[in-house]
Amino acid sequence: MRLRALLENDALGLRLLGGDEELDRSVRGVMTTDLRDPSRYLTGGELVLTGLAWRRDAEDSEPFVRILAGAGVAGLAAGEAELGDIPDDLVEACRRNRLPLFAVHETVAFATITEYVVRQVSGERAGDLAAVVDRHRRLMTSGPAGGGPEVVLDLLGSDLDLHAWVLSPTGRQISGAGAPLSAAAGAELAGLHLAAVRSGRRAPHRAALGGTTYSLFPIRNNVRGGAATAARDVRESVLSDWLLAVEADASDWPAARLDLLQGVTQLIAVERDRRDAARTVRRRLAQEVLELVQAGAAPAEIAARLRVATPVLLPGLGTAPHWQVVVARVEWDDEGASRVQGGPVAQALLEEILVDPAVTGPDSADRIAVAHTGDEAIALVPLPAVPDQAADAPREGEADADGPDDGPALHADALLAAVRAPLSAGLADDGRLTLGVSASVHSAEGLRGALEEARHARRVAAARPGRVCAAGHHELASHVLLLPFVPDDVRRAFTARLLDPLREYDRRHRAELIPTLEAFLDCDGSWTRCAARLHLHVNTLRYRVGRIEQLTGRDLARLEDKLDFFLALRMS
């Protein structure tokens, strides 16, 4: 409502004392105060009502009015019940600060004015809501240039004072109005949303985080879903759908506002479908290369396809990049899982996982080409060659070392570090994600080996406990490769024979023989280093090791026995 509307209602008993030229200001709320400094409770746009109890003398008016003007209030209404006529010093202070001033007749209660303003503002807000809905509908039918997440979220902020963000299923921010969410907050909200969807709760989902309440709305993918979405297994989409996080509690919203937010999610879904269409080319490139590699095509033919893929995935790059292969698989435990198409689910999920978590926005996945075959998703990831490492580039078909300093290469553990928690919530207690990463290769000839390496690494990850597991190629060159494939009963018997006597002794005597054994092996059998690590005297350490040998019948001076203990600890 406008300030001038207050003067048009005789029942309010208001007289304008100054600020005729400011009567077109918008009033967005009302506040009654007699505090000398009410700034902490002001957000701007209020009509402030005061009984002047804060005023002790004429010097108090200027500071009070300056505080109100600085907070952006719409106007000030002072009651005449306390002092009679409004003091001239207050009138003058309002004039200097261009703050409209009204006098409230002593027979009019502040509650009457408050009720009138609230009723008017609420009615106009409902009109604004209808206008926003209409604008959304026009945006949804206006073609590719008609808006998108940013435009819609800006509308929510400007028209309804709602802060909102579009998040990926792992919590990565796709779009937002105002200050961005932290990565940790985004991941936690995504996890809460996925858990709510898997539990079958009806949207929107309420989430409390750091003292702030959010309402989470799913953004359904129109291409995958359509009219049949409700009849499909939720596991087909839960790990790939975006969500809209709104900083508000929608549990008491009227139906009109909930309908508006549903319209917003539909608009964002349309925009996502448009952007997803751009992935079609990259997916097709990956599928073509994968088919050639699996069919044993000549390296020259594969290289020709890679030359086509390079400018699409790395525009402007003049030289052939290195490549890595990542393989992912999503599996479900129950019998009904056979109806869920694992390949497309893993494909969408892998496309999300491979996005750099430090990069925001919907177009940050333009270097990712992911195909799927059966229940498996396979990503072909280009890695720009590092100029000052050109002299150290591997020969044709040779794999690069995957160490911590090899530039932009992907590392299995790092890929899942930021997404493990939300994805575990989406997988719930019946799903698993396993992922394998190859070393980087710098020729078409090396891709077949990289694909097999990534698949083998994924099988190593699948043998581990946990809902979300990954393994890298470097793990294929050590004993870690062998352990997951030892039959469970053999592993249990082997570890029980060696470690159960020590565990039982520790339980009865609190002797810490197991931690001592681990430290002794980790220090390569060095008495001095192990004693220092455990903060023990060497003689005490010798006593403990002697007890270990006595209980197990093994000799820790022998390499074979050291190796047996090492493997038993790793398999336990």
Side-chain angles (χ1 to χ4, degrees):
M1 64 174 291
R2 304 294 178 182
L3 273 177
R4 65 175 66 256
L6 297 171
L7 298 174
E8 296 168 358
N9 188 332
D10 295 336
L12 299 182
L14 295 178
R15 291 184 296 112
L16 182 66
L17 301 182
D20 328 40
E21 68 282 2
E22 304 291 339
L23 291 180
D24 284 327
R25 289 187 181 186
S26 295
V27 179
R28 294 191 296 174
V30 62
M31 176 191 176
T32 300
T33 184
D34 276 312
L35 294 173
R36 297 171 66 85
D37 181 3
S39 58
R40 73 183 69 180
Y41 304 110
L42 297 171
T43 60
E46 298 93 345
L47 172 68
V48 174
L49 307 176
T50 181
L52 300 178
W54 50 266
R55 182 183 178 279
R56 297 187 181 91
D57 54 47
E59 301 299 321
D60 292 336
S61 293
E62 179 66 27
F64 180 78
V65 172
R66 191 181 301 122
I67 288 170
L68 299 187
V73 304
L76 173 65
E80 296 179 325
E82 183 74 20
L83 302 177
D85 290 339
I86 304 304
D88 292 340
D89 49 269
L90 180 58
V91 176
E92 183 60 24
C94 288
R95 185 192 64 78
R96 284 195 297 269
N97 290 277
R98 300 179 62 84
L99 182 67
L101 175 63
F102 300 87
V104 182
H105 194 271
E106 60 182 3
T107 60
V108 177
F110 282 175
T112 301
I113 300 173
T114 299
E115 182 181 352
Y116 174 78
V117 171
V118 169
R119 189 167 56 248
Q120 291 297 314
V121 170
S122 298
E124 292 187 4
R125 183 61 59 87
D128 290 343
L129 189 64
V132 172
V133 172
D134 182 62
R135 286 152 76 180
H136 287 164
R137 288 172 179 161
R138 285 186 278 110
L139 280 170
M140 291 178 69
T141 58
S142 60
E150 297 81 4
V151 172
V152 178
L153 299 186
D154 284 342
L155 284 174
L156 290 179
S158 62
D159 289 34
L160 299 180
D161 297 327
L162 291 176
H163 300 293
W165 301 266
V166 178
L167 304 177
S168 77
T170 65
R172 180 175 58 88
Q173 182 170 314
I174 305 297
S175 183
L181 284 174
S182 68
E188 188 165 351
L189 288 175
L192 293 170
H193 171 73
L194 290 172
V197 172
R198 288 305 313 276
S199 68
R201 299 208 324 257
R202 189 172 181 177
H205 311 302
R206 185 179 183 277
L209 187 62
T212 302
T213 300
Y214 299 87
S215 294
L216 310 176
F217 295 80
I219 299 173
R220 308 297 186 192
N221 187 301
N222 295 321
V223 170
R224 286 196 317 274
T229 297
R232 302 180 67 178
D233 194 311
V234 68
R235 291 172 295 190
E236 292 190 40
S237 61
V238 66
L239 295 175
S240 57
D241 283 342
W242 289 355
L243 68 134
L244 177 67
V246 181
E247 189 179 320
D249 186 350
S251 59
D252 58 352
W253 280 6
R257 179 165 289 204
L258 288 173
D259 287 344
L260 165 67
L261 267 294
Q262 295 299 338
V264 170
T265 63
Q266 292 171 18
L267 173 57
I268 297 173
V270 170
E271 183 64 20
R272 181 185 179 176
D273 293 341
R274 292 173 183 151
R275 296 175 190 268
D276 279 354
R279 289 186 174 181
T280 303
V281 174
R282 297 193 295 275
R283 287 176 171 177
R284 187 168 62 246
L285 286 172
Q287 196 72 43
E288 291 173 354
V289 173
L290 174 63
E291 290 173 358
L292 289 174
V293 169
Q294 294 190 125
E301 187 177 357
I302 299 174
R305 273 319 148 84
L306 290 178
R307 282 194 293 272
V308 173
T310 298
V312 175
L313 300 177
L314 288 176
L317 188 67
T319 59
H322 292 40
W323 301 89
Q324 272 184 285
V325 176
V326 182
V327 173
R329 191 181 185 96
V330 175
E331 299 171 293
W332 307 97
D333 294 339
D334 63 53
E335 295 178 1
S338 60
R339 298 191 299 269
V340 181
Q341 299 181 23
V345 175
Q347 181 182 44
L349 192 52
L350 189 51
E351 286 171 335
E352 169 61 25
I353 290 172
L354 290 174
V355 176
D356 185 346
V359 178
T360 60
D363 298 319
S364 55
D366 58 0
R367 286 178 47 198
I368 298 166
V370 183
H372 74 82
T373 173
D375 287 337
E376 187 180 64
I378 302 168
L380 185 66
V381 182
L383 304 173
V386 181
D388 58 4
Q389 293 179 354
D392 299 324
R395 292 185 296 276
E396 286 290 314
E398 183 177 88
D400 293 336
D402 186 14
D405 300 318
D406 58 347
L410 301 175
H411 300 273
D413 290 338
L415 282 176
L416 295 182
V419 301
R420 181 172 274 108
L423 292 185
S424 295
L427 292 163
D429 57 359
D430 61 347
R432 289 199 76 206
L433 165 68
T434 52
L435 184 144
V437 182
S438 79
S440 58
V441 296
H442 110 287
S443 74
E445 194 173 13
L447 277 181
R448 185 176 181 84
L451 175 58
E452 291 307 314
E453 192 172 56
R455 281 176 167 161
H456 206 34
R458 192 207 64 78
R459 287 193 289 271
V460 170
R464 295 173 174 167
R467 290 290 166 192
V468 180
C469 299
H473 70 92
H474 58 284
E475 298 182 61
L476 305 184
S478 74
H479 64 279
V480 178
L481 170 64
L482 303 175
L483 297 184
F485 302 102
V486 178
D488 287 344
D489 55 347
V490 175
R491 294 170 68 177
R492 284 192 294 268
F494 180 72
T495 57
R497 186 168 60 251
L498 277 178
L499 301 182
D500 279 3
L502 306 182
R503 290 172 176 146
E504 178 61 21
Y505 191 87
D506 280 348
R507 187 185 65 79
R508 287 189 287 111
H509 301 283
R510 298 183 180 178
E512 298 188 352
L513 296 186
I514 292 288
T516 300
L517 176 60
E518 291 175 331
F520 186 72
L521 295 175
D522 196 41
C523 292
D524 299 322
S526 168
W527 298 98
T528 305
R529 283 194 290 126
C530 184
R533 174 181 293 191
L534 296 175
H535 306 289
L536 297 175
H537 192 278
V538 172
N539 289 340
T540 304
L541 176 61
R542 290 185 185 277
Y543 171 80
R544 289 188 183 181
V545 170
R547 179 64 67 184
I548 291 171
E549 293 174 334
Q550 179 185 7
L551 291 169
T552 61
R554 298 299 185 105
D555 182 359
L556 279 169
R558 297 178 67 245
L559 176 61
E560 294 87 345
D561 289 341
K562 285 181 181 177
L563 180 58
D564 282 349
F565 278 122
F566 178 79
L567 293 174
L569 289 168
R570 282 301 182 96
M571 288 192 292
S572 62

